[in-house]
Amino acid sequence: MKIELAYPSENETFPLILDPIPLPDENGKWWYLERPFRMIFLIDKIKKVIEVPVGFKTDFASIPRLAWIIVGHPCGEYKKAAVIHDFLYGEKIYPRLINDQIFFLGMAVLNMANWKKIIMHRAVNICGWYRYKENINRFVDLNINSCPTGGEK
């Protein structure tokens, strides 16, 4: 499979705004999408659209705190690519290594430094198998009653 960008710009590749909401009980580690988020790319010259639905839960990039010194905070400059990557790992739409290539493409269109893209890509290639094999629930129940009085929403 040949995976490549469909468009040269960030706004065309990621046409929707990413504006996640932090989960209050997760100390800033987990966030969820209040709106869908999308990435457009090509596989073997055929346009593909990955849409991450409302309620999807992400930690952006599972980076050990010590590594933040090198590549930055988990919701840093690569967060758009990381949300897509988290979704692809959870849904297993493509094989793991294809998901990792899509992540690399996403980072490329975000104009990240080459050394940082390579480190992030190698990290998911080497360590990603652990997350990929998990079948965890990556969605937030948006129908939870959150009224302080205990009444219906």
Side-chain angles (χ1 to χ4, degrees), residues 40-61:
I40 303 169
F41 57 96
L42 301 174
I43 294 183
D44 295 332
K45 305 283 185 203
I46 298 169
K47 187 185 287 186
K48 301 291 181 178
V49 178
I50 296 296
E51 183 162 315
V52 183
V54 169
F56 181 72
K57 183 172 134 177
T58 181
D59 66 348
F60 299 106

Side-chain angles (χ1 to χ4, degrees), residues 73-84:
H73 192 273
C75 57
E77 62 187 311
Y78 39 78
K79 71 181 176 184
K80 290 180 179 181
V83 168
I84 297 293

